[in-house]
Amino acid sequence: MKAYNIIVLAKQVPDTRNVGKDAMKADGTINRAVLPAIFNPEDLNALEQALRIKDKFPGSTVKILTMGPGRAADIIREGLFRGADGGILLTDRAFAGSDTLATSYALGQALKKMGNIDIIIAGRQAIDGDTAQVGPQVAEKLGMLQITYVEEVIELKDKKITVKRRLENGVETVRCPLPLVMTVNGTAPDCRARNAKRLMQYKHAKTVTELQKENEDYTHMYNDRPDLNIPEWTVNDIETDPSQLGLTGSPTKVKTVENVVLHAKDSKVISALDEEIETMMIELIESHTIG
Amino acid sequence: MNSVFVYCEIEDGHVAEVSQELLTKGRSLADELNCKLEAIAIGHQLDEIGKQIIPYGVDTLYIADDKRLSPYQTLPHTSIVVNLFKEEQPQIALMGASSVGRDLGPRVSSALHSGLTADCTSLVIGDHFDKKQDKNYENLLYQIRPAFGGNIIATIINPDCRPQMATVREGVMKKEIRDPKYKGKEVKLDVAKYVSDTDFVVEIIERHVEKSKLNIKGAPIVVAGGYGMGSKENFNLLYELADVLGGEVGASRAAVDAGYTAHERQIGQTGVTVRPKLYIACGISGQIQHRAGMEESAQIIAINTDPEAPINAIADYVINGDVAEVIPKMIKYYKKNTK
Ligand SMILES: Cc1cc2nc3c(=O)[nH]c(=O)nc-3n(C[C@H](O)[C@H](O)[C@H](O)COP(=O)(O)OP(=O)(O)OC[C@H]3O[C@@H](n4cnc5c(N)ncnc54)[C@H](O)[C@@H]3O)c2cc1C
Ligand SMILES: Cc1cc2nc3c(=O)[nH]c(=O)nc-3n(C[C@H](O)[C@H](O)[C@H](O)COP(=O)(O)OP(=O)(O)OC[C@H]3O[C@@H](n4cnc5c(N)ncnc54)[C@H](O)[C@@H]3O)c2cc1C
């Protein structure tokens, strides 16, 4: 039986789903410090799809590629805890300010270097940029086919994959050749939990930068256990055309950003008492809003 | 002046609602820029499609008609759009932020190295002065979109690369026919020149697409329920109220996720956008992603047990109370006063 080389694209994102009152500073800007950095939710669905293929086809490997600041090494560790074989952190100031196109270019160049890939699995969308563009753009950069909104892998046989896609008003089952890029929907199965044994095994996995801050007594451990070293690639580790990177390589520019502030209306406040509700209904009927 | 271009999505011989809305927006942008509005329809059996598209004020409609082009597939549609854009060099290109548009748009933008802004809620023409380069850009497309889970609104521009591409969700723009007898020309493309055989590697084995029978967007009154409705059974109260008032039932994502009702009723950033005469929010807290889909309603009633619920800040009537008590009373007093 064939084994597959799978790469999962995963992004560390601020948890924008739980933006509470304290998430806004007095000056109306977002207080990123209070928003926890999390594994982008749909990227966990993507990881689960990868791990399921690995379960079915022993010998397959699942690696994570994430681009972000140093702390995004958490994404690789989280992946290791849940069953991934390893990962690469792509990190460099040269990538700062990337729009989706520059992001996809950098990811694409790293993927080319990783080489020999059968399946690339991304989440449909990241919850901070909210564009759902990176998956298809990575596919285009690599000249690969893309299958978006995957909910389930139905069959993987030789060099062909059959998947179910969730569209806005229906479902579609398609069969196509490998290699390809899939993007996975939030409606796909949730990711398995961390595995306790793997948690013990990999909690000390670190990047070089993180190791430099570490107590020297531990260095022997990293020499003995190469699997604890999280590779960290900078712009110098991949082949790039600087004009396609970061802010320079981004056709879109953010001109202005405005925080969404509630504008309070003059509302009529009433209770559930019969006469108050009746008065309201009469007002609505008289103003021809209803009736 | 280069054109404004709209990609028309076609399902079952019908132009998608979102594409009709974009044609309307595209026409008004083209008027402002004093340029042509062009469109493309890709699919099969499109002989009559011009009748649906040109009345929106389309000057040139390109048609790619081939059995293999329907239903939508990524690679052949991308090849046609990319090659046509290379020839026609539009300054602006618009697509729906739909399953199709969000699959196609990023692929096309990557191939052309032109920026793409996702999910715009507003598109406006404006100028931009770049301080670093000491350069002024005239008549750019301001692409205004929520990001960060809807907590911020960003204005994105695309100063140097063309086309300036944007996707827009269904229901965000308004559709309006320009002139039923509008004079536009149709250009049939020689499909073989635009696609290659290797574009057809995907086999579609099965496909179920349902046309939504619901018309929440067109409803004058929307009765929407949230997680605070408590159960699927309690949602029946909403159907009852919507029924007597002549409206439709909508829902928050939390209510949909809890299984109280179907996803097609979801209102908000990842659902439909509505602007009814009256929006009744029942047991909905009013998170930003929900408000994004309903805050332009002419009047809003909020029914909530929490006097501090964020929805109250945008409501015309705030009812501090339990939905199970308030909704039956609304039905009762509506009936009593309309007889
Ligand atoms: C306010 C604001 C608005 C923006 N609007 C736009 C816009 O309209 N158009 C545009 O081109 N850019 C835009 N950007 C830039 C965009 O957010 C970044 O380029 C971002 O890094 C990638 O886009 P995304 O978060 O939308 O990812 P998505 O395209 O939503 O991500 C899809 C999937 O791609 C993978 N992926 C994405 N990023 C990474 C990564 N760094 N490492 C590994 N995998 C990854 C993940 O699997 C993810 O689930 C905007 C940025 C801001 C701050
Ligand atoms: C990227 C993204 C996209 C999203 N898109 C959408 C979207 O399109 N649409 C959407 O709706 N959400 C969306 N959300 C989710 C959104 O953030 C909220 O989680 C959701 O809107 C909350 O739904 P709710 O108000 O029903 O539930 P809750 O926030 O749980 O509120 C329930 C409310 O009911 C009240 N209540 C409880 N019991 C009663 C009672 N008996 N009588 C009266 N009131 C009662 C409570 O006081 C509370 O205010 C999105 C989130 C993200 C991150």
Side-chain angles (χ1 to χ4, degrees):
Chain A
M1 206 186 282
K2 191 174 160 35
Y4 297 92
N5 284 330
I6 306 164
I7 310 285
V8 174
L9 300 179
K11 184 183 184 189
Q12 191 176 46
V13 295
D15 192 355
T16 58
R17 295 168 308 174
N18 295 308
V19 179
K21 289 193 183 93
D22 55 342
M24 288 303 195
K25 293 191 217 160
D27 63 358
T29 59
I30 290 167
N31 185 1
R32 283 172 200 249
V34 304
L35 291 179
I38 58 166
F39 204 112
N40 179 48
E42 284 181 319
D43 300 352
L44 281 173
N45 300 100
L47 176 60
E48 177 60 24
Q49 288 302 317
L51 294 174
R52 286 182 179 207
I53 296 175
K54 183 177 145 97
D55 291 344
K56 258 201 175 146
F57 299 92
S60 296
T61 55
V62 173
K63 291 204 172 144
I64 293 181
L65 173 63
T66 188
M67 179 173 107
R71 63 171 184 277
D74 282 345
I75 294 298
I76 313 280
R77 275 186 290 273
E78 189 63 48
L80 288 167
F81 299 158
R82 293 180 194 243
D85 299 287
I88 287 165
L89 169 66
L90 187 60
T91 185
D92 201 302
R93 295 193 67 127
F95 305 131
S98 294
D99 72 354
T100 61
L101 216 52
T103 301
S104 308
Y105 175 71
L107 290 173
Q109 294 306 102
L111 288 161
K112 278 183 193 161
K113 177 164 173 179
M114 292 169 90
N116 195 22
I117 303 167
D118 296 301
I119 307 173
I120 297 167
I121 312 185
R124 178 189 57 108
Q125 182 165 344
I127 60 169
D128 55 343
D130 279 344
T131 68
Q133 290 175 186
V134 171
Q137 290 181 335
V138 165
E140 199 282 334
K141 294 280 175 248
L142 297 174
M144 279 189 197
L145 177 67
Q146 82 207 29
I147 300 292
T148 44
Y149 329 117
V150 171
E151 201 169 63
E152 189 190 344
V153 174
I154 293 171
E155 188 184 65
L156 182 55
K157 215 167 145 187
D158 310 319
K159 285 258 162 204
K160 289 222 162 180
I161 190 166
T162 309
V163 300
K164 186 169 109 192
R165 306 177 65 211
R166 169 70 47 188
L167 309 176
E168 32 190 8
N169 47 3
V171 287
E172 192 178 82
T173 305
V174 298
R175 182 184 298 138
C176 41
L178 302 184
L180 89 171
V181 175
M182 310 197 298
T183 76
V184 176
N185 257 10
T187 52
D190 288 338
C191 191
R192 62 198 62 188
R194 296 172 172 185
N195 172 304
K197 241 170 79 189
R198 296 185 67 93
L199 185 62
M200 292 310 292
Q201 202 177 347
Y202 290 111
K203 66 179 177 197
H204 295 297
K206 293 216 155 72
T207 60
V208 184
T209 310
E210 287 171 328
L211 276 178
Q212 282 162 355
K213 294 178 198 141
E214 196 82 359
N215 186 329
E216 280 180 23
D217 295 348
Y218 284 102
T219 37
H220 69 273
M221 182 166 97
Y222 291 91
N223 294 332
D224 299 346
R225 292 264 318 270
D227 61 324
L228 290 184
N229 293 294
I230 298 175
E232 200 176 28
W233 288 359
T234 67
V235 72
N236 299 320
D237 294 295
I238 57 177
E239 229 173 84
T240 54
D241 163 5
S243 73
Q244 298 209 44
L245 290 178
L247 213 49
T248 325
S250 298
T252 65
K253 318 273 177 217
V254 177
K255 183 173 162 67
T256 53
V257 168
E258 222 181 286
N259 292 289
V260 176
V261 222
L262 275 179
H263 51 94
K265 269 194 190 173
D266 279 334
S267 9
K268 285 192 187 170
V269 180
I270 65 175
S271 75
L273 286 175
D274 281 68
E275 53 272 28
E276 298 198 38
I277 293 190
E278 180 161 21
T279 308
M280 175 187 79
M281 293 313 275
I282 292 171
E283 282 175 13
L284 291 170
I285 293 164
E286 283 176 349
S287 66
H288 301 284
T289 304
I290 56 177
Chain B
M1 240 331 213
N2 301 1
S3 63
V4 173
F5 216 107
V6 175
Y7 171 87
C8 293
E9 247 171 75
I10 292 155
E11 182 75 43
D12 264 350
H14 293 283
V15 179
E17 197 75 14
V18 68
S19 307
Q20 299 175 42
E21 294 161 5
L22 286 177
L23 287 167
T24 303
K25 185 70 202 180
R27 183 66 258 172
S28 74
L29 292 173
D31 287 345
E32 198 175 340
L33 293 166
N34 201 7
C35 70
K36 282 185 175 163
L37 173 65
E38 304 192 292
I40 179 151
I42 304 177
H44 186 42
Q45 295 176 326
L46 300 179
D47 289 344
E48 304 283 305
I49 207 75
K51 289 192 189 131
Q52 289 179 51
I53 296 175
I54 290 179
Y56 285 97
V58 174
D59 300 298
T60 313
L61 169 64
Y62 297 90
I63 299 174
D65 192 331
D66 186 305
K67 193 160 171 271
R68 300 171 300 170
L69 295 173
S70 175
Y72 168 83
Q73 279 191 37
T74 309
L75 297 183
H77 282 237
T78 301
S79 293
I80 294 171
V81 174
V82 166
N83 289 324
L84 187 64
F85 282 5
K86 281 183 184 161
E87 290 166 14
E88 297 305 317
Q89 309 268 332
Q91 55 173 319
I92 291 172
L94 308 177
M95 297 180 187
S98 56
S99 305
V100 168
R102 303 180 109 207
D103 184 85
L104 176 72
R107 185 106 195 171
V108 170
S109 102
S110 175
L112 296 172
H113 193 79
S114 66
L116 171 62
T117 304
D119 281 350
C120 298
T121 48
S122 168
L123 297 169
V124 184
I125 303 294
D127 297 342
H128 173 67
F129 181 72
D130 186 317
K131 280 194 210 109
K132 256 199 240 144
Q133 300 178 68
D134 193 24
K135 186 171 170 188
N136 197 45
Y137 291 88
E138 278 178 9
N139 290 333
L140 288 182
L141 183 65
Y142 287 4
Q143 303 156 78
I144 300 160
R145 67 172 300 242
F148 226 76
N151 294 288
I152 60 173
I153 303 283
T155 300
I156 312 261
I157 49 169
N158 217 317
D160 298 308
C161 303
R162 293 291 175 273
Q164 307 165 77
M165 294 179 61
T167 67
V168 180
R169 265 175 213 280
E170 178 176 335
V172 172
M173 304 291 172
K174 293 181 188 120
K175 71 168 181 185
E176 198 180 348
I177 299 262
R178 167 57 60 99
D179 172 4
K181 294 198 200 75
Y182 195 84
K183 294 246 174 324
K185 67 172 180 197
E186 292 184 17
V187 176
K188 284 238 155 78
L189 299 178
D190 177 0
V191 174
K193 276 201 191 138
Y194 289 82
V195 297
S196 69
D197 288 341
T198 51
D199 285 337
F200 297 93
V201 287
V202 177
E203 262 175 88
I204 299 179
I205 296 173
E206 225 183 301
R207 195 159 187 279
H208 295 286
V209 173
E210 285 143 30
K211 264 203 100 168
S212 175
K213 283 161 242 85
L214 272 179
N215 186 12
I216 300 188
K217 275 194 308 174
I221 295 169
V222 174
V223 181
Y227 193 66
M229 289 305 294
S231 70
K232 196 171 174 169
E233 288 63 46
N234 284 351
F235 243 70
N236 290 333
L237 283 173
L238 305 178
Y239 294 109
E240 237 176 277
L241 178 60
D243 207 37
V244 295
L245 297 181
E248 272 292 358
V249 172
S252 72
R253 182 157 100 177
V256 171
D257 288 348
Y260 298 168
T261 188
H263 177 255
E264 55 182 352
R265 295 192 187 270
Q266 184 174 315
I267 289 166
Q269 192 191 328
T270 45
V272 286
T273 302
V274 296
R275 320 184 166 74
K277 268 201 312 193
L278 176 64
Y279 190 90
I280 310 178
C282 311
I284 292 178
S285 59
Q287 296 306 310
I288 182 93
Q289 296 88 355
H290 186 79
R291 292 200 312 267
M294 47 68 70
E295 60 197 347
E296 284 186 38
S297 306
Q299 290 220 50
I300 297 168
I301 301 178
I303 310 171
N304 206 301
T305 42
D306 174 9
E308 302 294 320
I311 189 85
N312 294 351
I314 57 164
D316 300 276
Y317 289 93
V318 171
I319 309 180
N320 291 315
D322 187 326
V323 285
E325 191 186 340
V326 173
I327 298 172
K329 286 185 186 174
M330 288 173 75
I331 297 171
K332 176 172 157 196
Y333 291 113
Y334 176 77
K335 286 185 176 161
K336 182 179 157 197
N337 290 290
T338 43
K339 260 196 295 231

